[in-house]
Amino acid sequence: DAHYMTNIPGTFACGNALHVNDLVDFVSEEGELAGEAAARYALGTLPAGKGVPVTAGEGVRYALPASLIPGEKAVLSLRVTAPGRNRTILVLADGQVHAKRREIRLSPAEMVRVNLKPLPAGTRQVEVRLDA
């Protein structure tokens, strides 16, 4: 989920144990975020419950995390399905543009990361896709 917790409560996964990262910096960042979440879990301050599901739409092979928590910032990691130039990655919350990022060049072999502002309360679904 958005806190790097697996479907086993209190068990967290990040870095290359979660998905193949291109840069060790991404692995380190995910480790820090997962560590913070594990500490919050141990203290009982990590929000419980299911988050908003994230789906990979047109042109996106996968997106992680698989769910986001409304009201909390997140980093979305994704890979595209095919090489492309001058494309925009769209993050849609209930069909409305929540974030967008223009990329000059995209490659399936390279991970793209998008920093997200908190989702509005009541958001039911998130889709990540490339522009038409």
Side-chain angles (χ1 to χ4, degrees):
D1 67 11
H3 298 118
Y4 298 94
M5 187 159 45
T6 67
N7 61 341
I8 302 169
T11 303
F12 297 80
C14 62
N16 287 341
L18 179 61
H19 59 140
V20 177
N21 284 270
D22 302 351
L23 302 173
V24 71
D25 292 352
F26 295 162
V27 174
S28 298
E29 181 182 323
E30 285 183 7
E32 287 179 25
L33 294 170
E36 280 180 25
R40 289 174 63 194
Y41 179 84
L43 293 170
T45 60
L46 191 68
K50 288 197 170 225
V52 176
V54 176
T55 58
E58 181 67 33
V60 176
R61 181 176 310 282
Y62 78 84
L64 289 173
S67 66
L68 298 172
I69 309 298
E72 292 194 8
K73 291 189 275 185
V75 177
L76 198 61
S77 298
L78 63 105
R79 289 187 192 270
V80 297
T81 58
R85 293 198 175 279
N86 298 316
R87 301 293 302 271
T88 300
I89 296 165
L90 297 173
V91 180
L92 305 173
D94 292 334
Q96 301 297 312
V97 175
H98 179 72
K100 61 183 177 178
R101 179 172 164 174
R102 187 78 173 161
E103 293 289 332
I104 295 171
R105 184 183 64 81
L106 289 166
S107 170
E110 295 177 12
M111 185 180 307
V112 178
R113 292 171 53 92
V114 179
N115 292 316
L116 299 178
K117 62 186 179 193
L119 290 172
T123 301
R124 294 180 312 277
Q125 65 180 8
V126 173
E127 179 189 10
V128 185
R129 65 178 174 86
L130 296 182
D131 63 344

